[in-house]
Amino acid sequence: MKVHEYQAKDILGNYGVAVQRGSVADTVEEAVAAAEAMKADGVGMYVVKAQIHAGGRGKGGGVKLAKSIDEVREKAEAILGMQLKTPQTGPEGQEVKKILVTAAEDIAHEYYIGVTLDRARKMDVIMASTEGGVEIEEVAEATPEKIVKVWVDPSLGLQRFQAQYIARKLGFEGDQMKEAAKFVTQLYTAYQKSDATIAEINPLVRTEQGQIIALDAKINLDDNALFRHPDLAAMRDEAEEDPLEVEAGKHHLNYIKLDGNVGCMVNGAGLAMGTMDLIKLAGGEPANFLDVGGTANAETVEAGFRIILSDPNVEAILVNIFGGIVRCDRVARGVVEAAKNVDIQVPLIVRLQGTNAEEGMEIIQNSGIEIESAIQLKEAADKVTAALGK
Ligand code: GDP
Ligand code: MN
């Protein structure tokens, strides 16, 4: 699950990480009021920042400095409601519904630091660089030697010398080195305790006043661990997520939208992958990954059809269900019932295999609905090819 920058900063702040705080607003008036409160505390420079579930906002015009309250108003008016395009949003961009107003820091230098799991080494890795504020992927590609890494042994945890090693590699000395090492340790604790899959600060800055502080924060949380963190689960902002994926989640369907023309509905992730291959072999491209899980009943199948069909690119649907735990005749009845409730305007091919497969096929053929049935994979593939007119 992704969270907004202001939420990531709240999480980090709770673990003592030094972050640039601010006030989140969903109207211009709120943003102005927040800046006025900061002004009363002696702040003279502000930053207005779009809150969307994507990075690279600065490049797209979603992060602006403001020198006065009037400028805060002006920037807030410009950013709130804008369709913000960044390298991470896709060409259509993302509508800005919330902004963060902060006191601006005087930046002396921008660094990068991030934590994630290194699957190959089976250890968390902390990566840091003196080249912050820019796209770290480019630094990694062009000048990999400018990225320092340490791996955390899960049985030992992050060691003090490792945190200090990173701090020294970033060029810090003396008390600043200790402060930077403390930052690394607290960041790692926050990552671990919140069951994050990534915690990334770009930029981490040294201010002209000598402070070390996170100006930006990105945290992704492990969905499978959210049950342990009701407070973090409550940070979900569905308005930022793909509406079809949100809808699928409500029906406990495992759905990922893709760009192809053949919708598919399958039970089991492995069979879903195999089916996607099959679609490609048949000359199509999968429009989605959709695993309906063990219970392919009329309700889940109907939800699946609706989700697949709300994608205008879909030219055919292939249902490929293995009747192991669930019998094919039951699935067939579910498919027929669902197909009656949903107006399916594209060719529908149903392959049922496993327990009571023949009976399932009979149900499909006698349903009076235009459904192509198949038992063998080859048959299903040929029918997809025919449906696409290839
Ligand atoms: P991103 O573009 O989505 O990664 O958004 P960031 O929060 O990283 O902001 C983008 C850039 O805006 C940073 O790299 C900074 O250069 C600049 N910026 C953000 N906050 C401040 C601030 O408090 N003071 C100054 N001077 N620049 C800032
Ligand atoms: Mn950033």
Side-chain angles (χ1 to χ4, degrees):
M1 182 180 97
K2 292 185 180 176
V3 298
H4 288 292
E5 171 197 357
Y6 75 93
Q7 296 167 317
K9 285 178 165 175
D10 284 345
I11 297 172
L12 296 173
N14 287 342
Y15 290 96
V17 181
V19 290
Q20 174 199 47
R21 299 301 269 268
S23 291
V24 68
D26 36 34
T27 64
V28 172
E29 289 318 314
E30 270 180 81
V32 168
E36 271 165 353
M38 289 173 199
K39 187 178 177 186
D41 285 339
V43 172
M45 271 280 257
Y46 315 85
V47 194
V48 182
K49 310 182 79 174
Q51 299 295 291
I52 57 168
H53 280 189
R57 297 161 300 165
K59 274 189 183 162
V63 177
K64 296 279 188 204
L65 284 170
K67 291 191 279 295
S68 64
I69 300 287
D70 281 345
E71 269 193 39
V72 169
R73 181 185 299 279
E74 204 180 288
K75 308 293 181 195
E77 274 169 359
I79 295 175
L80 259 178
M82 83 185 282
Q83 199 68 21
L84 179 55
K85 296 187 190 93
T86 86
Q88 294 178 18
T89 57
E92 69 289 349
Q94 183 109 352
E95 190 192 332
V96 180
K97 302 195 185 79
K98 286 184 197 327
I99 50 176
L100 179 67
V101 182
T102 71
E105 298 289 343
D106 293 330
I107 302 176
H109 191 86
E110 295 186 292
Y111 305 85
Y112 169 91
I113 182 158
V115 190
T116 192
L117 174 68
D118 182 337
R119 287 171 191 278
R121 293 215 191 187
K122 300 177 185 157
M123 283 191 264
D124 289 326
V125 59
I126 303 177
M127 292 169 283
S129 177
T130 52
E131 310 302 299
V134 293
E135 271 179 61
I136 197 67
E137 290 79 5
E138 284 170 20
V139 180
E141 181 126 349
T143 47
E145 71 282 0
K146 288 196 171 154
I147 296 180
V148 45
K149 295 184 184 180
V150 302
W151 285 267
V152 183
D153 187 315
S155 59
L156 299 175
L158 177 66
Q159 301 293 296
R160 184 198 289 251
F161 76 87
Q162 293 182 301
Q164 292 188 344
Y165 172 77
I166 292 176
R168 283 204 189 88
K169 281 284 185 184
L170 292 182
F172 293 110
E173 289 169 356
D175 283 348
Q176 266 193 347
M177 189 281 289
K178 284 189 190 143
E179 198 184 328
K182 190 169 136 205
F183 185 99
V184 175
T185 307
Q186 287 169 328
L187 173 66
Y188 184 69
T189 304
Y191 160 86
Q192 207 181 27
K193 291 269 164 70
S194 57
D195 286 313
T197 56
I198 188 166
E200 188 176 59
I201 313 293
N202 193 17
L204 165 70
V205 302
R206 174 165 50 81
T207 66
E208 294 291 358
Q209 295 75 25
Q211 265 186 307
I212 293 164
I213 180 169
L215 283 204
D216 189 10
K218 168 184 169 153
I219 290 186
N220 290 355
L221 299 162
D222 183 347
D223 291 329
N224 295 317
L226 276 178
F227 73 97
R228 294 207 281 227
H229 308 284
D231 51 330
L232 302 183
M235 290 182 172
R236 172 164 227 150
D237 185 354
E238 285 186 352
E240 293 288 313
E241 298 175 13
D242 184 311
L244 290 181
E245 291 181 14
V246 172
E247 179 64 20
K250 287 187 187 144
H251 297 279
H252 304 288
L253 300 170
N254 199 345
Y255 170 86
I256 294 158
K257 188 178 173 331
L258 301 168
D259 299 330
N261 54 356
V262 181
C264 49
M265 195 178 337
V266 191
N267 63 341
L271 186 58
M273 305 283 266
T275 304
M276 289 160 72
D277 282 348
L278 184 76
I279 289 169
K280 286 201 165 225
L281 285 173
E285 285 289 332
N288 63 278
F289 170 98
L290 173 57
D291 174 10
V292 298
T295 53
N297 58 34
E299 195 224 338
T300 47
V301 172
E302 187 177 323
F305 279 145
R306 288 190 196 281
I307 289 164
I308 290 174
L309 289 166
S310 49
D311 175 354
N313 296 334
V314 169
E315 292 170 36
I317 300 178
L318 172 59
V319 176
N320 188 10
I321 304 262
F322 176 74
I325 296 169
V326 55
R327 301 185 322 260
C328 292
D329 55 312
R330 273 200 59 189
V331 177
R333 282 194 195 93
V335 169
V336 169
E337 204 182 309
K340 276 182 186 154
N341 293 335
V342 184
D343 183 22
I344 303 179
Q345 300 280 6
V346 297
L348 171 62
I349 300 129
V350 179
R351 172 186 182 250
L352 298 173
Q353 184 58 283
T355 311
N356 295 355
E358 302 281 344
E359 209 180 320
M361 192 162 183
E362 257 169 52
I363 292 167
I364 300 264
Q365 282 167 347
N366 299 333
S367 67
I369 300 176
E370 239 182 272
I371 306 179
E372 292 280 351
S373 73
I375 288 189
Q376 298 306 325
L377 276 179
K378 176 80 174 65
E379 253 183 297
D382 289 345
K383 288 186 171 172
V384 169
T385 309
L388 295 176
K390 301 223 171 184

